[in-house]
Amino acid sequence: MAVHAHPDDESSKAAATLAKYAAEGHEVLVVTLTGGERGDILNPAMDRPGIMENLPEVRRKEMAEAAAALGVEHMWLGFVDSGLPEGDPLPPLPEGCFALVPHDEATEPLVKAVREFKPHVIITYDENGGYPHPDHIKCHEVSIAAFDAAGDPEAYPDAGEPWTPLKLYYTHGFIRDRIYRFSEELEKAGMENPFREWLAKWKREQGDMMARVTTQVEASEYFQQRDDALRAHATQIDPNGFFFAVPLEWQQRLWPTEEFELAQTRVQTAIPENDLFAGIEEE
């Protein structure tokens, strides 16, 4: 089970791994907490009449196409996108948004989903949310709470029969060395490099998520499915943007893995891992 804040997050964060495990016969479910109602249109080609006015419906259709591209199941949890507040000082979050939902009220539906689907592994964001969007932070909080509570018969007794998931992972996609390798290859080939300015601003003292990575899953065979899922989110993903700046075969050669951090485990495993199910099949 991969728990995400908005539609499109599942396609930009460890999507190839989801496609890999689905193709290998595992049951894979993406749970999307909000509908992305307060998103913007980030692809200029989709900035046309009728799109913004019907964004929730459009994004639901995009999500269905992305799930089909990855070969996974999908569930909406039905919370309302909080938007990304901007300004100094920041404006208050909108009333009724996911980030303002009381903790238990936000956690119980996810506990119910865990008990119904019965995952052995749950994937979500770290304490920073991947980036500090209020819905991503809330996603982390409810995912941790659901992982802890799903197997407890005294917790949320109306949310179904208890089920104890065995491993919890954080996804880590923003790996500096990965971006640096791509940047070097683009420079060598004399191609436009959208990462140059980004890397120049990335100070070494800021650290790098690779130091937290415990698990690298080889998923290069499924990068095409990942890209198909990304393109399905046409309002959010510009097909001419940085997601597609590096040729697919370069990515498969230079960095064929997706990265995770084992945050909690109830089974014995050895670090580093190359499989999210390491230790589970042995049990």
Side-chain angles (χ1 to χ4, degrees), residues 70-196:
L70 296 175
V72 303
E73 301 175 56
H74 180 254
M75 174 188 291
W76 297 99
L77 238 57
F79 294 107
V80 178
D81 188 353
S82 304
L84 184 59
E86 295 179 307
D88 186 13
L90 290 174
L93 291 169
E95 185 178 349
C97 72
F98 176 53
L100 296 181
V101 173
H103 181 75
D104 283 346
E105 188 179 330
T107 301
E108 185 166 8
L110 185 56
V111 170
K112 185 173 187 294
V114 171
R115 289 173 176 174
E116 288 177 354
F117 184 66
K118 298 179 171 57
H120 295 93
V121 174
I122 294 178
I123 302 168
T124 190
Y125 315 138
D126 68 10
E127 67 281 0
N128 299 309
Y131 78 105
H133 188 298
D135 287 339
H136 283 236
I137 302 295
K138 188 82 166 187
C139 178
H140 164 80
E141 293 170 354
V142 299
S143 296
I144 295 293
F147 183 83
D148 291 339
D152 181 355
E154 296 184 4
Y156 307 104
D158 297 329
E161 291 297 316
W163 171 262
T164 303
L166 299 178
K167 298 175 86 175
L168 176 72
Y169 286 94
Y170 301 150
T171 61
H172 288 309
F174 295 105
I175 306 296
R176 188 185 190 282
D177 286 347
R178 174 175 176 267
I179 301 303
Y180 186 75
R181 283 194 199 177
F182 294 163
S183 180
E184 275 192 319
E185 203 76 3
L186 290 168
E187 296 283 355
K188 285 180 192 174
M191 296 170 62
E192 183 179 351
N193 181 5
F195 307 117
R196 186 186 299 118

Side-chain angles (χ1 to χ4, degrees), residues 2 7 9 12 30 32 38-39 46 57 63 77 109 129 153 168 173 188 201 220 257 261 269 273 277 279:
D9 287 326
S12 61
V30 170
T32 308
R38 290 192 169 93
M46 292 296 289
E57 180 183 351
M63 183 63 239
L77 238 57
L168 176 72
K188 285 180 192 174
K201 293 179 179 178
S220 60
T257 60
E261 176 185 351
T269 185
E273 301 174 320
F277 292 100

Side-chain angles (χ1 to χ4, degrees), residues 16-18 20-21 169 213 215-220 223 256-260 273-277:
T17 297
L18 301 184
K20 168 189 169 73
Y21 284 125
Y169 286 94
V213 167
T215 310
Q216 292 184 277
V217 177
E218 205 287 328
S220 60
F223 284 0
T257 60
E258 291 185 326
E259 281 65 46
F260 302 85
E273 301 174 320
N274 60 12
D275 180 8
L276 300 185
F277 292 100

